Amino acid sequence: GAIGIIIPPSIAFIIFALVAGSQMNITINRLFMAGIIPGILVGIALYIAAVYVRKRDIKKGLYIPSENEVSRKATGKEQWDAFVKALPGLLIPVIILGGIYTGFFTPTESAVVAVVYSLIVGLFIKPKGFFKQLFVIFREASLQTAVVMLIVSAASVFAYIVTTEQVAQTISDAILSFTDNKVIILLLVNIVLLIAGAFIDAISAYYIFVPILMPIMLMLDVDPTVFGIFMTINLAIGLFTPPVGLNLYVAAGYAKTNIMEISRGVLPFIIAAIIVLLLVTYIPAISTFLPDLLGVK
C-alpha cells in the first residue's frame, strides 16, 4: 500500500515538484518517469520479504496454508471473469499515464480526466448505488481537501520564513561543518526522513523539509530529481513504520489484530524497503536512467 506514492501517477511527486520548484526547475513529468524503476524495485523487495515471511511462519508452525491455497488454481474462466470485472478500474492508470506521456494532457489535467472517466464508469457501468456513493465521495473529498489546504497554507508560511531568515542556509552550514562526506550526509538525511515519515504525512514533510534539505543537496551536487525520489521512498516507508505508520493501523483493522503484533511482523518489509532506498540514494542512475533515455526534462 505504501508504494502508491512512488509509482506514477503520484500526488506526492506533484507536491514535491511544486514545493521544490521555487528553488529548482523540477518538472512533474521527469519525476513521474524517474519513479517507475525505483517503485518497481520496492515492489520486488516487498514481494521477496512477503515470500520470506510466509515460508518462515510455515516453518515455525505459525501459519498453515489451506487446502485450496496449496492445491487449487483459478480456472481460465475465473481469471477472465476477474479481469473483465476489474477492467474499468485498470483503465484509469492507462488513460492517465498514456495521456501524460503522449502529450494529450498535463499531469494536472490528468486528474480531471480521471474524475470524468470515473463518473462515466459509475453512471453507466456500475450504476447501483452510484448517487449515494457520489455524495459520500464529495463529502470525504471536501474534508480531505480542507485538511490539505490548511496544512499547505501553514507550511507555505513556514517555508517562506525558513527561506527569508536563512534558516536553511544556517542548518546547511552546520551540517557541512560537522562533515563534508557525501555518503555520511546522505545517510543522516535518510535517517531524519525515515523518522519524520513515521510521524507526519508526506505533504507536511515536503513543505517542512524540502526548503531545509534542498540547499544541502545542491551543495553535494545531488540531482534534485534523485532527491525527490529517495525522499518520497523514505516517506513511503514511514507509512508502515511504527509507532505512527498509518498503514499499520489499516492493516491491523483488516487483519483483526493489534498494532503491536503488526509492528513486530512488519520488520522484514522495512528492511527490504530500506535496502532499495539505499540503492536509489547512492546509485542515481536508478532514478535518472529512464527520464534521460526518453529525453524527459
Side-chain angles (χ1 to χ4, degrees), residues 66-281:
S66 66
E67 183 178 344
N68 286 339
E69 181 183 349
V70 174
S71 61
R72 185 182 179 279
K73 292 184 178 180
T75 64
K77 184 178 183 305
E78 289 174 330
Q79 293 177 9
W80 175 254
D81 290 343
F83 172 75
V84 171
K85 186 177 180 180
L87 188 58
L90 293 174
L91 284 176
I92 291 179
V94 174
I95 293 172
I96 293 174
L97 295 178
I100 292 173
Y101 296 142
T102 55
F104 279 106
F105 42 75
T106 66
T108 304
E109 293 168 347
S110 69
V112 179
V113 174
V115 169
V116 173
Y117 171 78
S118 300
L119 288 173
I120 293 172
V121 170
L123 187 60
F124 296 104
I125 299 179
K126 298 181 180 295
K128 185 177 180 180
F130 171 71
F131 288 103
K132 183 178 180 180
Q133 293 177 1
L134 192 62
F135 172 76
V136 175
I137 291 171
F138 282 156
R139 183 185 63 193
E140 293 299 321
S142 300
L143 291 173
Q144 291 179 19
T145 301
V147 170
V148 170
M149 289 299 100
L150 286 172
I151 293 172
V152 169
S153 59
S156 297
V157 175
F158 172 81
Y160 173 78
I161 294 173
V162 166
T163 303
T164 56
E165 297 298 323
Q166 297 186 333
V167 175
Q169 185 64 43
T170 303
I171 294 175
S172 301
D173 293 341
I175 292 177
L176 293 175
S177 66
F178 172 71
T179 178
D180 59 357
N181 189 308
K182 182 176 180 178
V183 174
I184 294 177
I185 293 176
L186 288 176
L187 183 61
L188 292 174
V189 168
N190 276 316
I191 292 173
V192 169
L193 291 176
L194 281 172
I195 295 172
F199 289 93
I200 60 178
D201 63 280
I203 294 176
S204 302
Y206 287 134
Y207 275 95
I208 293 171
F209 289 102
V210 169
I212 295 174
L213 296 178
M214 182 62 81
I216 300 175
M217 297 297 104
L218 296 178
M219 289 181 185
L220 296 175
D221 198 28
V222 174
D223 188 321
T225 301
V226 175
F227 173 51
I229 299 301
F230 78 69
M231 182 175 185
T232 303
I233 294 176
N234 269 293
L235 299 175
I237 296 173
L239 289 173
F240 57 96
T241 301
V244 195
L246 176 63
N247 286 16
L248 297 179
Y249 292 90
V250 176
Y254 275 108
K256 294 181 174 57
T257 185
N258 61 72
I259 192 67
M260 293 300 296
E261 187 173 354
I262 287 285
S263 298
R264 288 193 295 268
V266 82
L267 182 60
F269 298 93
I270 294 176
I271 293 173
I274 288 177
I275 291 173
V276 177
L277 168 64
L278 294 176
L279 290 174
V280 172
T281 301

Side-chain angles (χ1 to χ4, degrees), residues 3 29 45 47 51 58 126 141 143 202 235-236 260 264 290 294:
I3 65 174
N29 281 348
Y47 168 77
V51 172
I58 291 176
K126 298 181 180 295
L143 291 173
L235 299 175
M260 293 300 296
R264 288 193 295 268
L290 196 55
L294 300 177

